[in-house]
Short mmCIF file of all heavy atoms in Angstrom, two decimals:
data_model
loop_
_atom_site.label_atom_id
_atom_site.label_comp_id
_atom_site.label_asym_id
_atom_site.label_seq_id
_atom_site.Cartn_x
_atom_site.Cartn_y
_atom_site.Cartn_z
N MET A 1 104.45 270.73 22.30
CA MET A 1 105.15 270.40 23.50
C MET A 1 105.78 269.02 23.39
O MET A 1 105.17 268.09 23.00
CB MET A 1 104.14 270.40 24.70
CG MET A 1 104.74 269.95 25.96
SD MET A 1 103.42 269.74 27.21
CE MET A 1 104.26 270.31 28.62
N ARG A 2 107.07 268.96 23.64
CA ARG A 2 107.79 267.71 23.56
C ARG A 2 108.10 267.18 24.98
O ARG A 2 108.63 267.91 25.81
CB ARG A 2 109.10 267.91 22.81
CG ARG A 2 109.85 266.63 22.63
CD ARG A 2 111.06 266.83 21.78
NE ARG A 2 111.75 265.54 21.68
CZ ARG A 2 112.88 265.41 21.18
NH1 ARG A 2 113.52 266.43 20.68
NH2 ARG A 2 113.46 264.23 21.13
N VAL A 3 107.75 265.92 25.21
CA VAL A 3 108.00 265.29 26.52
C VAL A 3 109.08 264.24 26.31
O VAL A 3 108.99 263.37 25.47
CB VAL A 3 106.71 264.63 27.04
CG1 VAL A 3 106.99 263.93 28.37
CG2 VAL A 3 105.60 265.65 27.22
N SER A 4 110.10 264.33 27.13
CA SER A 4 111.22 263.37 27.09
C SER A 4 111.02 262.37 28.22
O SER A 4 110.71 262.72 29.35
CB SER A 4 112.53 264.09 27.26
OG SER A 4 113.61 263.17 27.25
N MET A 5 111.21 261.07 27.90
CA MET A 5 111.01 260.04 28.91
C MET A 5 112.21 259.08 28.87
O MET A 5 112.58 258.62 27.80
CB MET A 5 109.71 259.27 28.62
CG MET A 5 109.33 258.31 29.70
SD MET A 5 107.75 257.54 29.39
CE MET A 5 106.65 258.95 29.51
N LYS A 6 112.75 258.82 30.01
CA LYS A 6 113.89 257.88 30.10
C LYS A 6 113.37 256.46 30.09
O LYS A 6 112.44 256.13 30.80
CB LYS A 6 114.65 258.13 31.42
CG LYS A 6 115.83 257.25 31.59
CD LYS A 6 116.55 257.51 32.87
CE LYS A 6 117.69 256.50 33.03
NZ LYS A 6 118.32 256.59 34.31
N VAL A 7 114.03 255.65 29.31
CA VAL A 7 113.72 254.22 29.24
C VAL A 7 114.94 253.42 29.67
O VAL A 7 116.03 253.65 29.19
CB VAL A 7 113.29 253.76 27.80
CG1 VAL A 7 113.00 252.31 27.76
CG2 VAL A 7 112.08 254.57 27.34
N ASN A 8 114.71 252.51 30.63
CA ASN A 8 115.78 251.67 31.15
C ASN A 8 115.78 250.31 30.39
O ASN A 8 114.70 249.79 30.12
CB ASN A 8 115.59 251.40 32.63
CG ASN A 8 115.57 252.66 33.41
OD1 ASN A 8 116.47 253.48 33.32
ND2 ASN A 8 114.50 252.87 34.15
N PHE A 9 116.95 249.78 30.09
CA PHE A 9 117.10 248.50 29.45
C PHE A 9 117.94 247.61 30.33
O PHE A 9 118.99 248.03 30.85
CB PHE A 9 117.78 248.65 28.09
CG PHE A 9 116.98 249.48 27.11
CD1 PHE A 9 117.17 250.84 27.00
CD2 PHE A 9 116.08 248.86 26.27
CE1 PHE A 9 116.45 251.59 26.11
CE2 PHE A 9 115.34 249.62 25.37
CZ PHE A 9 115.52 250.97 25.30
N GLU A 10 117.53 246.35 30.48
CA GLU A 10 118.23 245.39 31.34
C GLU A 10 117.98 243.97 30.83
O GLU A 10 116.86 243.67 30.38
CB GLU A 10 117.72 245.56 32.78
CG GLU A 10 118.28 244.62 33.78
CD GLU A 10 117.65 244.84 35.16
OE1 GLU A 10 116.69 245.61 35.29
OE2 GLU A 10 118.15 244.15 36.08
N THR A 11 118.96 243.10 30.89
CA THR A 11 118.79 241.70 30.58
C THR A 11 118.48 240.96 31.88
O THR A 11 119.19 241.12 32.87
CB THR A 11 120.05 241.09 29.93
OG1 THR A 11 120.35 241.82 28.75
CG2 THR A 11 119.84 239.63 29.58
N VAL A 12 117.35 240.20 31.89
CA VAL A 12 116.94 239.52 33.09
C VAL A 12 116.61 238.07 32.75
O VAL A 12 116.39 237.72 31.59
CB VAL A 12 115.71 240.19 33.76
CG1 VAL A 12 116.00 241.59 34.22
CG2 VAL A 12 114.50 240.20 32.81
N ASP A 13 116.56 237.21 33.76
CA ASP A 13 116.10 235.82 33.59
C ASP A 13 114.63 235.80 33.97
O ASP A 13 114.26 236.24 35.08
CB ASP A 13 116.93 234.91 34.49
CG ASP A 13 116.54 233.45 34.23
OD1 ASP A 13 116.72 232.94 33.10
OD2 ASP A 13 116.01 232.81 35.17
N TYR A 14 113.80 235.30 33.10
CA TYR A 14 112.36 235.28 33.36
C TYR A 14 111.86 233.82 33.36
O TYR A 14 111.18 233.36 32.42
CB TYR A 14 111.61 236.08 32.29
CG TYR A 14 110.17 236.37 32.63
CD1 TYR A 14 109.78 237.16 33.68
CD2 TYR A 14 109.15 235.86 31.84
CE1 TYR A 14 108.48 237.47 34.00
CE2 TYR A 14 107.82 236.12 32.11
CZ TYR A 14 107.49 236.93 33.20
OH TYR A 14 106.14 237.18 33.49
N GLY A 15 112.25 233.07 34.38
CA GLY A 15 111.82 231.69 34.57
C GLY A 15 112.06 230.81 33.38
O GLY A 15 113.17 230.79 32.84
N ILE A 16 111.04 230.06 32.98
CA ILE A 16 111.19 229.09 31.89
C ILE A 16 111.48 229.74 30.53
O ILE A 16 111.88 229.05 29.62
CB ILE A 16 109.95 228.19 31.77
CG1 ILE A 16 108.70 229.01 31.37
CG2 ILE A 16 109.70 227.40 33.06
CD1 ILE A 16 107.51 228.18 31.00
N PHE A 17 111.27 231.02 30.42
CA PHE A 17 111.49 231.69 29.14
C PHE A 17 112.94 232.09 28.94
O PHE A 17 113.30 232.58 27.90
CB PHE A 17 110.55 232.93 29.02
CG PHE A 17 109.13 232.54 29.03
CD1 PHE A 17 108.36 232.69 30.19
CD2 PHE A 17 108.52 232.04 27.93
CE1 PHE A 17 107.03 232.32 30.21
CE2 PHE A 17 107.18 231.67 27.93
CZ PHE A 17 106.44 231.83 29.09
N GLY A 18 113.77 231.97 29.97
CA GLY A 18 115.20 232.29 29.82
C GLY A 18 115.51 233.76 29.83
O GLY A 18 114.78 234.57 30.46
N ARG A 19 116.56 234.15 29.12
CA ARG A 19 116.97 235.54 29.08
C ARG A 19 115.98 236.39 28.34
O ARG A 19 115.50 236.01 27.26
CB ARG A 19 118.34 235.67 28.42
CG ARG A 19 119.52 235.09 29.14
CD ARG A 19 120.81 235.27 28.40
NE ARG A 19 120.67 234.97 26.96
CZ ARG A 19 120.91 235.89 25.99
NH1 ARG A 19 121.36 237.07 26.25
NH2 ARG A 19 120.74 235.53 24.70
N CYS A 20 115.69 237.53 28.96
CA CYS A 20 114.75 238.49 28.32
C CYS A 20 115.32 239.90 28.43
O CYS A 20 116.08 240.22 29.35
CB CYS A 20 113.39 238.46 29.07
SG CYS A 20 112.55 236.90 28.85
N LEU A 21 114.93 240.73 27.49
CA LEU A 21 115.24 242.17 27.56
C LEU A 21 114.07 242.83 28.27
O LEU A 21 112.94 242.72 27.82
CB LEU A 21 115.42 242.73 26.17
CG LEU A 21 115.69 244.23 26.11
CD1 LEU A 21 117.00 244.58 26.83
CD2 LEU A 21 115.69 244.72 24.68
N LYS A 22 114.38 243.50 29.37
CA LYS A 22 113.37 244.23 30.12
C LYS A 22 113.54 245.72 29.81
O LYS A 22 114.60 246.25 29.92
CB LYS A 22 113.54 244.00 31.63
CG LYS A 22 112.62 244.81 32.47
CD LYS A 22 112.91 244.55 33.95
CE LYS A 22 112.09 245.53 34.81
NZ LYS A 22 112.45 245.41 36.20
N MET A 23 112.43 246.33 29.41
CA MET A 23 112.42 247.77 29.13
C MET A 23 111.37 248.38 30.05
O MET A 23 110.25 247.82 30.15
CB MET A 23 112.04 248.04 27.68
CG MET A 23 113.04 247.47 26.71
SD MET A 23 112.42 247.41 25.04
CE MET A 23 111.61 245.80 25.06
N ASP A 24 111.71 249.45 30.73
CA ASP A 24 110.74 250.13 31.56
C ASP A 24 111.02 251.63 31.61
O ASP A 24 112.12 252.07 31.38
CB ASP A 24 110.69 249.56 32.98
CG ASP A 24 111.85 250.00 33.85
OD1 ASP A 24 111.80 251.15 34.39
OD2 ASP A 24 112.84 249.25 34.01
N ASN A 25 109.97 252.34 31.92
CA ASN A 25 110.10 253.81 32.04
C ASN A 25 109.83 254.29 33.46
O ASN A 25 109.54 255.47 33.69
CB ASN A 25 109.19 254.54 31.07
CG ASN A 25 107.72 254.33 31.37
OD1 ASN A 25 107.34 253.69 32.31
ND2 ASN A 25 106.86 254.93 30.55
N GLY A 26 109.84 253.35 34.42
CA GLY A 26 109.56 253.68 35.79
C GLY A 26 108.09 253.48 36.15
O GLY A 26 107.74 253.44 37.31
N THR A 27 107.23 253.31 35.16
CA THR A 27 105.82 253.10 35.37
C THR A 27 105.35 251.79 34.76
O THR A 27 104.66 251.02 35.43
CB THR A 27 104.97 254.25 34.77
OG1 THR A 27 105.42 255.49 35.33
CG2 THR A 27 103.48 254.07 35.04
N VAL A 28 105.70 251.56 33.52
CA VAL A 28 105.31 250.31 32.83
C VAL A 28 106.57 249.57 32.37
O VAL A 28 107.64 250.16 32.21
CB VAL A 28 104.38 250.58 31.62
CG1 VAL A 28 103.06 251.15 32.08
CG2 VAL A 28 105.05 251.49 30.59
N GLU A 29 106.42 248.25 32.20
CA GLU A 29 107.54 247.46 31.72
C GLU A 29 107.10 246.50 30.63
O GLU A 29 105.93 246.13 30.56
CB GLU A 29 108.18 246.71 32.89
CG GLU A 29 107.34 245.62 33.52
CD GLU A 29 108.03 244.95 34.70
OE1 GLU A 29 109.16 245.27 35.01
OE2 GLU A 29 107.37 244.09 35.30
N LEU A 30 108.08 246.10 29.82
CA LEU A 30 107.87 245.23 28.70
C LEU A 30 109.02 244.21 28.72
O LEU A 30 110.16 244.63 28.84
CB LEU A 30 107.87 246.01 27.40
CG LEU A 30 107.53 245.28 26.13
CD1 LEU A 30 106.05 245.01 26.06
CD2 LEU A 30 107.93 246.18 24.94
N LEU A 31 108.75 242.93 28.61
CA LEU A 31 109.79 241.91 28.54
C LEU A 31 109.66 241.20 27.19
O LEU A 31 108.59 240.77 26.79
CB LEU A 31 109.62 240.87 29.64
CG LEU A 31 110.39 241.18 30.92
CD1 LEU A 31 109.72 242.28 31.69
CD2 LEU A 31 110.54 239.95 31.77
N VAL A 32 110.82 241.07 26.51
CA VAL A 32 110.92 240.44 25.21
C VAL A 32 111.92 239.32 25.33
O VAL A 32 113.04 239.52 25.80
CB VAL A 32 111.36 241.46 24.13
CG1 VAL A 32 111.48 240.77 22.79
CG2 VAL A 32 110.37 242.60 24.09
N THR A 33 111.57 238.10 24.86
CA THR A 33 112.45 236.98 24.94
C THR A 33 113.72 237.17 24.07
O THR A 33 113.60 237.75 22.98
CB THR A 33 111.75 235.66 24.51
OG1 THR A 33 111.27 235.81 23.20
CG2 THR A 33 110.63 235.33 25.48
N LEU A 34 114.83 236.69 24.55
CA LEU A 34 116.08 236.71 23.78
C LEU A 34 116.51 235.32 23.37
O LEU A 34 117.16 235.11 22.32
CB LEU A 34 117.20 237.36 24.63
CG LEU A 34 117.02 238.83 24.94
CD1 LEU A 34 118.11 239.29 25.91
CD2 LEU A 34 117.01 239.66 23.69
N ASP A 35 116.18 234.30 24.16
CA ASP A 35 116.60 232.93 23.85
C ASP A 35 115.68 232.24 22.84
O ASP A 35 116.06 231.30 22.15
CB ASP A 35 116.63 232.07 25.16
CG ASP A 35 117.76 232.47 26.05
OD1 ASP A 35 118.75 233.06 25.55
OD2 ASP A 35 117.70 232.23 27.26
N VAL A 36 114.45 232.68 22.72
CA VAL A 36 113.49 232.20 21.74
C VAL A 36 112.75 233.41 21.15
O VAL A 36 112.68 234.45 21.79
CB VAL A 36 112.45 231.25 22.33
CG1 VAL A 36 113.10 229.97 22.83
CG2 VAL A 36 111.66 231.89 23.48
N GLY A 37 112.25 233.26 19.97
CA GLY A 37 111.43 234.34 19.45
C GLY A 37 112.19 235.29 18.55
O GLY A 37 112.91 234.87 17.66
N PRO A 38 112.03 236.56 18.71
CA PRO A 38 111.61 237.28 19.91
C PRO A 38 110.08 237.30 20.06
O PRO A 38 109.33 237.28 19.09
CB PRO A 38 112.10 238.70 19.69
CG PRO A 38 112.11 238.88 18.20
CD PRO A 38 112.43 237.49 17.64
N ARG A 39 109.67 237.30 21.33
CA ARG A 39 108.27 237.39 21.66
C ARG A 39 108.09 238.31 22.87
O ARG A 39 108.91 238.29 23.78
CB ARG A 39 107.73 235.98 22.07
CG ARG A 39 107.66 235.04 20.87
CD ARG A 39 107.23 233.64 21.35
NE ARG A 39 107.02 232.79 20.22
CZ ARG A 39 107.99 232.16 19.55
NH1 ARG A 39 109.25 232.35 19.89
NH2 ARG A 39 107.70 231.37 18.54
N ILE A 40 107.05 239.10 22.85
CA ILE A 40 106.71 239.90 24.00
C ILE A 40 105.96 238.99 24.97
O ILE A 40 104.92 238.44 24.63
CB ILE A 40 105.87 241.12 23.64
CG1 ILE A 40 106.60 242.01 22.65
CG2 ILE A 40 105.42 241.89 24.87
CD1 ILE A 40 105.76 243.13 22.05
N ILE A 41 106.53 238.80 26.18
CA ILE A 41 105.88 237.89 27.14
C ILE A 41 105.40 238.60 28.39
O ILE A 41 104.74 237.98 29.21
CB ILE A 41 106.82 236.71 27.54
CG1 ILE A 41 108.12 237.26 28.11
CG2 ILE A 41 107.05 235.83 26.37
CD1 ILE A 41 108.95 236.18 28.79
N ARG A 42 105.72 239.87 28.53
CA ARG A 42 105.20 240.65 29.67
C ARG A 42 105.01 242.06 29.27
O ARG A 42 105.89 242.70 28.67
CB ARG A 42 106.12 240.57 30.88
CG ARG A 42 105.63 241.49 31.99
CD ARG A 42 106.15 241.22 33.37
NE ARG A 42 105.81 242.28 34.27
CZ ARG A 42 104.59 242.51 34.77
NH1 ARG A 42 103.58 241.77 34.42
NH2 ARG A 42 104.38 243.51 35.59
N ALA A 43 103.85 242.60 29.56
CA ALA A 43 103.55 244.02 29.36
C ALA A 43 102.58 244.42 30.51
O ALA A 43 101.56 243.78 30.72
CB ALA A 43 102.87 244.26 28.03
N GLY A 44 102.97 245.42 31.26
CA GLY A 44 102.14 245.86 32.36
C GLY A 44 102.81 246.87 33.23
O GLY A 44 103.97 247.25 33.00
N PHE A 45 102.06 247.30 34.24
CA PHE A 45 102.67 248.23 35.23
C PHE A 45 103.67 247.46 36.08
O PHE A 45 103.47 246.27 36.39
CB PHE A 45 101.57 248.80 36.10
CG PHE A 45 100.64 249.71 35.32
CD1 PHE A 45 99.42 249.29 34.90
CD2 PHE A 45 101.03 251.03 35.05
CE1 PHE A 45 98.56 250.13 34.19
CE2 PHE A 45 100.21 251.87 34.33
CZ PHE A 45 98.96 251.41 33.90
N ILE A 46 104.72 248.12 36.48
CA ILE A 46 105.75 247.51 37.30
C ILE A 46 105.14 246.98 38.58
O ILE A 46 104.45 247.71 39.29
CB ILE A 46 106.90 248.49 37.61
CG1 ILE A 46 107.60 248.89 36.31
CG2 ILE A 46 107.88 247.91 38.61
CD1 ILE A 46 108.65 249.95 36.46
N GLY A 47 105.35 245.69 38.85
CA GLY A 47 104.77 245.06 40.03
C GLY A 47 103.31 244.69 39.93
O GLY A 47 102.72 244.19 40.86
N GLY A 48 102.73 244.98 38.74
CA GLY A 48 101.32 244.72 38.54
C GLY A 48 101.05 243.53 37.66
O GLY A 48 101.96 242.76 37.35
N GLN A 49 99.81 243.42 37.24
CA GLN A 49 99.34 242.31 36.42
C GLN A 49 100.03 242.32 35.07
O GLN A 49 100.30 243.36 34.46
CB GLN A 49 97.84 242.46 36.20
CG GLN A 49 97.23 241.46 35.25
CD GLN A 49 95.75 241.72 35.00
OE1 GLN A 49 95.16 242.57 35.66
NE2 GLN A 49 95.20 241.02 34.07
N ASN A 50 100.33 241.11 34.57
CA ASN A 50 100.87 240.96 33.21
C ASN A 50 99.69 240.89 32.24
O ASN A 50 98.81 240.07 32.38
CB ASN A 50 101.68 239.65 33.14
CG ASN A 50 102.31 239.42 31.81
OD1 ASN A 50 102.25 240.25 30.90
ND2 ASN A 50 102.97 238.28 31.66
N PHE A 51 99.66 241.81 31.28
CA PHE A 51 98.58 241.83 30.31
C PHE A 51 98.77 240.82 29.18
O PHE A 51 97.89 240.64 28.33
CB PHE A 51 98.38 243.23 29.76
CG PHE A 51 97.89 244.19 30.82
CD1 PHE A 51 98.73 245.14 31.36
CD2 PHE A 51 96.59 244.09 31.33
CE1 PHE A 51 98.30 245.99 32.34
CE2 PHE A 51 96.13 244.94 32.30
CZ PHE A 51 96.99 245.91 32.81
N CYS A 52 99.91 240.11 29.17
CA CYS A 52 100.19 239.03 28.22
C CYS A 52 99.91 237.72 28.92
O CYS A 52 100.16 237.58 30.11
CB CYS A 52 101.61 239.03 27.73
SG CYS A 52 102.05 240.50 26.75
N PHE A 53 99.40 236.73 28.22
CA PHE A 53 99.16 235.42 28.81
C PHE A 53 100.38 234.53 28.65
O PHE A 53 100.89 234.37 27.55
CB PHE A 53 97.96 234.74 28.14
CG PHE A 53 97.72 233.34 28.58
CD1 PHE A 53 97.24 233.08 29.87
CD2 PHE A 53 97.99 232.28 27.76
CE1 PHE A 53 97.02 231.78 30.27
CE2 PHE A 53 97.81 230.99 28.17
CZ PHE A 53 97.30 230.75 29.43
N ASN A 54 100.86 233.97 29.76
CA ASN A 54 101.96 233.02 29.74
C ASN A 54 101.46 231.67 30.18
O ASN A 54 101.07 231.52 31.34
CB ASN A 54 103.09 233.45 30.64
CG ASN A 54 103.80 234.72 30.14
OD1 ASN A 54 103.86 234.97 28.96
ND2 ASN A 54 104.30 235.50 31.05
N ASP A 55 101.42 230.69 29.30
CA ASP A 55 100.96 229.34 29.66
C ASP A 55 102.08 228.52 30.15
O ASP A 55 102.76 227.80 29.41
CB ASP A 55 100.32 228.69 28.40
CG ASP A 55 99.61 227.40 28.73
OD1 ASP A 55 99.71 226.94 29.88
OD2 ASP A 55 99.00 226.84 27.83
N HIS A 56 102.39 228.67 31.43
CA HIS A 56 103.52 227.95 32.05
C HIS A 56 103.33 226.45 32.06
O HIS A 56 104.32 225.69 32.02
CB HIS A 56 103.77 228.49 33.49
CG HIS A 56 104.14 229.93 33.51
ND1 HIS A 56 105.43 230.33 33.25
CD2 HIS A 56 103.41 231.03 33.77
CE1 HIS A 56 105.46 231.65 33.33
NE2 HIS A 56 104.24 232.10 33.66
N VAL A 57 102.13 225.97 32.08
CA VAL A 57 101.88 224.52 32.10
C VAL A 57 102.22 223.89 30.75
O VAL A 57 102.92 222.89 30.69
CB VAL A 57 100.42 224.23 32.49
CG1 VAL A 57 100.15 222.73 32.40
CG2 VAL A 57 100.10 224.74 33.85
N SER A 58 101.78 224.48 29.65
CA SER A 58 102.03 223.91 28.33
C SER A 58 103.48 224.08 27.89
O SER A 58 103.98 223.33 27.09
CB SER A 58 101.14 224.56 27.31
OG SER A 58 99.77 224.24 27.56
N CYS A 59 104.15 225.12 28.36
CA CYS A 59 105.52 225.43 27.92
C CYS A 59 106.53 224.49 28.53
O CYS A 59 107.59 224.24 27.94
CB CYS A 59 105.92 226.85 28.26
SG CYS A 59 104.98 228.02 27.25
N GLY A 60 106.25 223.96 29.70
CA GLY A 60 107.24 223.06 30.35
C GLY A 60 108.49 223.82 30.70
O GLY A 60 108.53 225.01 30.82
N LYS A 61 109.62 223.09 30.85
CA LYS A 61 110.88 223.72 31.19
C LYS A 61 111.52 224.30 29.93
O LYS A 61 111.29 223.84 28.82
CB LYS A 61 111.81 222.69 31.81
CG LYS A 61 111.30 222.19 33.15
CD LYS A 61 112.29 221.23 33.78
CE LYS A 61 111.72 220.76 35.11
NZ LYS A 61 112.57 219.79 35.73
N LYS A 62 112.40 225.28 30.14
CA LYS A 62 113.04 225.98 29.06
C LYS A 62 113.72 225.02 28.05
O LYS A 62 113.61 225.20 26.86
CB LYS A 62 114.06 226.99 29.59
CG LYS A 62 114.80 227.71 28.53
CD LYS A 62 115.76 228.68 29.11
CE LYS A 62 116.66 229.19 28.06
NZ LYS A 62 118.03 228.89 28.22
N ASP A 63 114.42 224.02 28.57
CA ASP A 63 115.13 223.11 27.69
C ASP A 63 114.42 221.83 27.37
O ASP A 63 114.90 220.95 26.74
CB ASP A 63 116.49 222.78 28.28
CG ASP A 63 117.37 224.04 28.41
OD1 ASP A 63 117.29 224.90 27.53
OD2 ASP A 63 118.09 224.17 29.42
N GLY A 64 113.17 221.73 27.87
CA GLY A 64 112.38 220.51 27.69
C GLY A 64 111.71 220.40 26.35
O GLY A 64 111.65 221.38 25.57
N PRO A 65 111.20 219.22 26.02
CA PRO A 65 110.54 219.01 24.73
C PRO A 65 109.27 219.83 24.56
O PRO A 65 108.93 220.25 23.48
CB PRO A 65 110.24 217.52 24.74
CG PRO A 65 110.25 217.10 26.16
CD PRO A 65 111.22 218.03 26.85
N ASP A 66 108.52 220.08 25.65
CA ASP A 66 107.33 220.90 25.56
C ASP A 66 107.63 222.31 25.11
O ASP A 66 106.92 222.91 24.32
CB ASP A 66 106.53 220.89 26.85
CG ASP A 66 105.95 219.53 27.21
OD1 ASP A 66 105.77 218.71 26.28
OD2 ASP A 66 105.73 219.27 28.40
N PHE A 67 108.71 222.86 25.68
CA PHE A 67 109.13 224.22 25.31
C PHE A 67 109.45 224.29 23.83
O PHE A 67 108.99 225.18 23.13
CB PHE A 67 110.33 224.63 26.15
CG PHE A 67 110.72 226.06 25.98
CD1 PHE A 67 110.17 227.03 26.77
CD2 PHE A 67 111.66 226.44 25.04
CE1 PHE A 67 110.53 228.36 26.62
CE2 PHE A 67 112.06 227.75 24.88
CZ PHE A 67 111.46 228.74 25.70
N GLU A 68 110.15 223.29 23.33
CA GLU A 68 110.50 223.26 21.90
C GLU A 68 109.24 223.16 21.00
O GLU A 68 109.14 223.73 19.97
CB GLU A 68 111.47 222.15 21.62
CG GLU A 68 112.86 222.38 22.14
CD GLU A 68 113.52 223.63 21.58
OE1 GLU A 68 113.36 223.87 20.35
OE2 GLU A 68 114.15 224.32 22.32
N ALA A 69 108.27 222.35 21.47
CA ALA A 69 107.04 222.19 20.70
C ALA A 69 106.26 223.46 20.58
O ALA A 69 105.66 223.74 19.56
CB ALA A 69 106.18 221.09 21.35
N VAL A 70 106.25 224.25 21.65
CA VAL A 70 105.52 225.53 21.64
C VAL A 70 106.27 226.60 20.90
O VAL A 70 105.71 227.33 20.08
CB VAL A 70 105.23 225.97 23.10
CG1 VAL A 70 104.61 227.39 23.11
CG2 VAL A 70 104.29 224.98 23.77
N PHE A 71 107.57 226.75 21.17
CA PHE A 71 108.36 227.85 20.62
C PHE A 71 109.20 227.51 19.40
O PHE A 71 109.74 228.38 18.75
CB PHE A 71 109.24 228.47 21.71
CG PHE A 71 108.47 229.14 22.76
CD1 PHE A 71 108.41 228.60 24.04
CD2 PHE A 71 107.74 230.30 22.53
CE1 PHE A 71 107.70 229.21 25.05
CE2 PHE A 71 107.05 230.92 23.52
CZ PHE A 71 107.01 230.36 24.79
N GLY A 72 109.40 226.21 19.11
CA GLY A 72 110.14 225.83 17.95
C GLY A 72 111.65 226.05 18.04
O GLY A 72 112.23 226.59 18.90
#
């Protein structure tokens, strides 16, 4: 049995992480950074808990020195 599932792709702004590629199938979503990385920074049910840890305090602002220290 083959199950076909539609996946949506969208570029979104995700706070201090900048532009991200958002992929979802209507139930779960995944966000991958485009401005740094790539890194998976969100994985979870839509509107639910993020199963990835985002340390917003240590990362500082997107263009700040702390962000560069963490992400290079």
Side-chain angles (χ1 to χ4, degrees):
M1 175 188 216
R2 183 174 179 190
V3 177
S4 178
M5 188 175 295
K6 180 181 177 188
V7 178
N8 302 307
F9 296 91
E10 177 184 6
T11 302
V12 298
D13 184 63
Y14 192 66
I16 64 169
F17 298 100
R19 291 179 319 119
C20 294
L21 177 63
K22 176 183 171 185
M23 296 165 273
D24 76 81
N25 67 0
T27 303
V28 295
E29 65 183 358
L30 186 73
L31 268 75
V32 178
T33 58
L34 295 174
D35 290 337
V36 295
R39 291 176 174 79
I40 298 171
I41 57 168
R42 174 161 170 71
F45 292 100
I46 295 174
Q49 175 185 352
N50 182 4
F51 293 107
C52 296
F53 174 72
N54 292 330
D55 188 355
H56 296 281
V57 175
S58 294
C59 291
K61 295 182 179 178
K62 178 179 169 242
D63 296 323
D66 292 337
F67 187 88
E68 288 299 321
V70 173
F71 293 111

